[in-house]
């Protein structure tokens, strides 16, 4: 079978190690945003299939070998999954690019290798995260055990589906949990491909299940299901609030990775050329559909013109919009027509609010695809919608400032708190700013530095819990105290 034939094959749900069709026989199309054509049909799970997946995960957790296995053996299985991902890297990269519109040159060199890094990093943690012996006297021996939470529902968004899923799946598996994954309906294909990989790697049945279908039915069922112990969610702040409310009825553990409106500060003494490179990347990478996008760039007034000249040059030269399959392309289309309409709506609103459009705002001349040119607004006031709401598209707000205190106050004047960045050669100033910025990440003289070992997550309404690093491990375990009275 050729790749084209294979990708067009209607998909099935992956439950208990088997591929099954939905009882309702209902399917939905997943669309290639570069061509606006359906790639294939994906099953719409109903309550029955969602419950079957939860039951399979519960059975695998209670009776299967996964949770009870020696942690080192579990680690070996995850290393094996990483190996199969590498063997099937090209297909996985292609699937991800077709489904999301991400340039293939990126999915090949960043997304898939990063997914492998995540698997290997957490495979290594499987037998390195453990409890303690407590300092009792001779009359007792007391210790803590780190046990898996149980059945975990993983609900993920469409903007970087593979990585955003693996950053949850890898640590959750390493800690011995069993999973039901509901990927975003716009981009379900990499999750289904990953299920094939898990099967090929010999992951025991029921440990990883995939149910595709709408968030408000399949997602809600998972969030309210009494047999799901934890929900790990990445998506919009509004959805996170709904999930938190619904999960309260069964007191589920929850991790929420939500939206952002991150400030990126350029002080006059910073390296303006480098700052401009990263400021362009901060809103153009993945078409600006990134939670940590540096969508508010604060520029010290005295270098405003010089910085802007460099920024616009970098956007024009470094961020070519085009077909995701073309190796020269740096920016593909937005994910969907809805998203395109939403982003262009913000551009119109920005013009009405009185911000000065200095680049883009229009669409490139492609006949098909949800493309949009990178767009820059200058003279933005931090109270404008452009500066307050997460646009999730390639739209940048430039906000000039004069003083240190003023910029810190404005940077923090948002209900989000995901990321932030700053440029200065004065390390005392950098440290002072880093201490005062209310965000889960502060990037000094760089922007968007992500690493499997560096915790990532939000302050304020950007969520709670962390991804990456050691910090995520307690979130997929329960601590049990065992006290032996001698
Ligand atoms: P979304 O609309 O909140 O959807 C995310 C996931 O939740 C999808 O799988 C969706 O299913 C599902 N869902 C929707 N309503 C639900 C409900 N009531 N109950 C349970 N699940 C539900 O977010 P998105 O538009 O896909 O993603 C973009 C957002 O994600 C942005 O706000 C971005 O900032 C945020 N994000 C945050 C991070 C981070 O690390 N903080 C990383 C990436 C993205 P359907 O697809 O079927 O609707």
């Amino acid at each position: 079978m050729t790749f084209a034939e294979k990708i067009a094959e209607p998909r099935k749900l992956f439950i208990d190690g088997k591929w099954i069709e939905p009882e309702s026989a209902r399917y939905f199309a997943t669309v290639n945003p570069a061509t606006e054509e359906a790639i294939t049909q994906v099953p719409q799970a109903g309550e029955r299939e969602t419950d079957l997946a939860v039951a399979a995960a519960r059975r695998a957790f209670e009776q299967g070998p996964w949770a009870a296995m020696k942690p080192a053996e579990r680690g070996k299985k995850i290393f094996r999954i990483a190996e199969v991902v590498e063997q099937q890297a090209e297909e996985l990269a292609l699937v991800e690019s077709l489904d999301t519109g991400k340039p293939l040159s990126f999915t090949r060199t960043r997304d898939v290798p990063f997914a492998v890094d995540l698997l290997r990093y957490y495979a290594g943690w499987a037998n390195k995260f453990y409890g303690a012996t407590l300092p009792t006297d001779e009359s007792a021996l007391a210790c803590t055990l780190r046990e898996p939470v149980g059945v975990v529902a993983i609900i993920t968004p469409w903007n970087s589906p593979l990585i955003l899923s693996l950053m949850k799946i890898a640590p959750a598996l390493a800690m011995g949990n069993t999973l039901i994954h509901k990927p975003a309906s716009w981009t379900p294909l990499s999750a289904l491909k990953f299920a094939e990989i898990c099967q090929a790697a010999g992951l025991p049945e029921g440990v990883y299940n995939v149910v595709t279908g709408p968030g408000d039915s399949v997602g809600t069922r998972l969030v309210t299901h009494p047999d799901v112990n934890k929900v790990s969610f990445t998506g919009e702040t509004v959805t996170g609030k709904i999930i938190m409310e619904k999960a309260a009825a069964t007191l589920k553990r929850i991790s929420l990775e939500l939206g952002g409106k991150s400030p990126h500060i350029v002080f006059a003494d910073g390296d303006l050329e480098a700052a401009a490179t990263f400021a362009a990347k901060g809103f153009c990478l993945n078409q600006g559909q990134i939670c940590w996008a540096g969508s508010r760039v604060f520029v010290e007034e005295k270098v405003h013109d010089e910085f802007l000249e460099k920024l616009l040059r970098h956007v024009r030269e470094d961020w070519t919009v085009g077909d995701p399959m073309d190796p020269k392309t740096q920016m593909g289309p937005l994910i969907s027509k809805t998203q395109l309409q939403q982003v262009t709506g913000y551009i119109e609103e920005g013009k009405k609010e009185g911000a000065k459009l200095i680049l883009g705002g229009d669409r490139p001349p492609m006949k098909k695809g949800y493309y949009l040119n990178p767009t820059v607004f200058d003279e933005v006031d931090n109270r404008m919608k452009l500066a307050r709401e997460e646009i999730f598209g390639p739209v940048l707000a430039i906000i000039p400032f004069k003083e240190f205190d003023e910029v810190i106050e404005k940077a923090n004047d948002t209900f989000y708190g995901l990321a932030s960045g700053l440029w200065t050669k004065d390390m005392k100033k950098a440290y002072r700013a880093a201490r005062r910025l209310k965000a889960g990440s502060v990037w000094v003289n760089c922007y968007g530095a992500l690493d499997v070992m560096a915790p990532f997550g939000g302050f304020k309404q950007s969520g709670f819990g962390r991804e990456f690093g050691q910090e995520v491990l307690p979130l997929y375990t329960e601590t049990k105290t065992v006290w032996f009275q001698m």
Side-chain angles (χ1 to χ4, degrees):
M1 198 187 280
T2 63
F3 177 72
E5 285 163 349
K6 191 175 172 196
I7 192 126
E9 284 259 296
R11 298 302 197 271
K12 293 180 179 167
L13 302 163
F14 187 65
I15 298 175
D16 210 10
K18 294 161 204 69
W19 294 96
I20 66 163
E21 288 175 15
E23 197 179 53
S24 65
R26 289 175 70 187
Y27 287 78
F28 61 95
T30 182
V31 171
N32 177 343
T35 61
E36 304 181 27
E37 282 163 15
I39 305 168
T40 185
Q41 299 292 316
V42 176
Q44 187 160 324
E47 203 170 292
R48 182 175 170 275
E49 290 82 16
T50 310
D51 288 356
L52 277 177
V54 175
R58 174 56 59 195
R59 224 172 16 253
F61 184 73
E62 304 296 346
Q63 297 159 27
W66 192 247
M69 184 181 284
K70 273 191 181 161
E73 289 302 312
R74 227 164 34 222
K76 272 190 203 158
K77 280 276 179 225
I78 302 171
F79 278 122
R80 175 68 194 136
I81 297 174
E83 230 170 63
V84 182
V85 169
E86 274 184 332
Q87 285 160 5
Q88 303 199 18
E90 185 59 15
E91 196 178 314
L92 194 52
L94 264 169
V95 162
E96 187 77 335
S97 282
L98 289 172
D99 218 12
T100 60
K102 271 173 179 254
L104 183 60
S105 58
F106 285 40
T107 55
R108 268 182 184 154
T109 58
R110 297 178 192 198
D111 297 59
V112 175
F114 197 47
V116 172
D117 283 355
L118 281 161
L119 285 161
R120 295 218 164 106
Y121 177 79
Y122 286 109
W125 268 113
N127 63 346
K128 294 179 194 65
F129 187 66
Y130 41 75
T133 309
L134 308 179
T136 56
D137 64 16
E138 275 182 0
S139 68
L141 171 65
C143 62
T144 55
L145 303 177
R146 289 288 194 171
E147 296 190 350
V149 174
V151 172
V152 179
I154 289 186
I155 304 181
T156 50
W158 46 263
N159 59 318
S160 265
L162 179 67
I163 293 175
L164 294 169
S165 303
L166 264 294
M167 65 172 70
K168 296 175 183 301
I169 293 168
L173 285 181
M175 294 298 106
N177 299 281
T178 59
L179 319 179
I180 305 114
H181 182 190
K182 195 217 89 64
S185 299
W186 282 341
T187 56
L189 296 184
S190 56
L192 292 164
K193 178 69 201 161
F194 183 70
E196 267 178 53
I197 288 171
C198 288
Q199 201 176 24
L203 189 71
E205 287 170 0
V207 173
Y208 177 65
N209 305 275
V210 184
V211 282
T212 46
D216 57 9
S217 57
V218 178
T220 300
R221 183 70 188 157
L222 289 171
V223 169
T224 52
H225 200 297
D227 223 14
V228 170
N229 301 105
K230 173 174 172 114
V231 176
S232 182
F233 170 80
T234 297
E236 286 187 39
T237 292
V238 174
T239 319
K241 289 179 186 177
I242 296 171
I243 287 179
M244 193 165 170
E245 214 176 304
K246 291 196 171 151
T250 45
L251 272 187
K252 285 187 188 10
R253 282 83 184 107
I254 48 177
S255 294
L256 301 176
E257 289 296 337
L258 310 175
K261 190 75 192 175
S262 300
H264 191 171
I265 304 169
V266 182
F267 289 106
D269 66 338
D271 177 341
L272 297 187
E273 191 63 38
T277 313
F278 279 84
K281 173 187 165 188
F283 84 102
C284 291
L285 187 69
N286 205 26
Q287 298 73 260
Q289 304 167 129
I290 291 196
C291 54
W292 51 260
S295 49
R296 290 184 296 152
V297 167
F298 292 91
V299 191
E300 195 163 340
E301 262 181 20
K302 52 187 156 186
V303 293
H304 171 272
D305 294 356
E306 188 186 346
F307 173 77
L308 234 61
E309 179 275 312
K310 292 180 193 300
L311 172 74
L312 297 187
R313 175 165 45 79
H314 277 292
V315 175
R316 288 194 186 103
E317 288 176 4
D318 304 347
W319 294 93
T320 316
V321 181
D323 178 356
M325 297 298 140
D326 182 338
K328 288 193 291 297
T329 295
Q330 298 295 311
M331 286 177 76
L334 301 193
I335 189 68
S336 67
K337 193 171 179 185
T338 318
Q339 188 67 11
L340 178 64
Q341 283 167 344
Q342 211 159 302
V343 176
T344 46
Y346 275 110
I347 294 173
E348 291 315 310
E349 186 81 19
K351 290 184 203 162
K352 278 190 215 140
E353 278 183 304
K356 187 172 159 195
L357 180 68
I358 55 168
L359 186 74
D362 54 350
R363 301 190 55 200
M366 286 82 153
K367 289 200 180 77
K368 289 269 178 176
Y370 311 119
Y371 292 95
L372 182 65
N373 282 322
T375 298
V376 181
F377 281 96
D378 191 15
E379 295 174 17
V380 176
D381 186 292
N382 201 42
R383 284 160 299 191
M384 290 178 184
K385 234 180 178 179
L386 270 183
R388 303 208 74 76
E389 296 188 13
E390 184 183 45
I391 298 175
F392 228 55
V395 180
L396 180 64
I398 302 280
I399 309 172
F401 73 92
K402 285 197 182 80
E403 306 286 340
F404 180 89
D405 286 340
E406 173 205 349
V407 73
I408 298 293
E409 192 181 312
K410 284 184 176 164
N412 286 335
D413 182 15
T414 163
F415 63 79
Y416 292 115
L418 191 58
S420 60
L422 62 101
W423 293 82
T424 174
K425 294 195 182 85
D426 177 347
M427 283 303 121
K428 279 190 189 157
K429 181 156 70 176
Y431 182 62
R432 252 191 321 141
R435 292 290 297 253
R436 285 180 52 187
L437 285 166
K438 293 188 188 340
S441 295
V442 183
W443 291 304
V444 179
N445 295 336
C446 61
Y447 196 85
L450 299 174
D451 193 292
V452 287
M453 67 184 172
F456 179 82
F459 282 24
K460 301 194 272 183
Q461 294 191 34
S462 288
F464 47 77
R466 288 292 178 271
E467 308 281 3
F468 299 146
Q470 188 177 346
E471 293 227 2
V472 77
L473 302 176
L475 306 177
Y476 289 108
T477 55
E478 295 279 13
T479 302
K480 179 185 277 176
T481 300
V482 183
W483 189 284
F484 296 90
Q485 197 61 48
M486 299 297 172

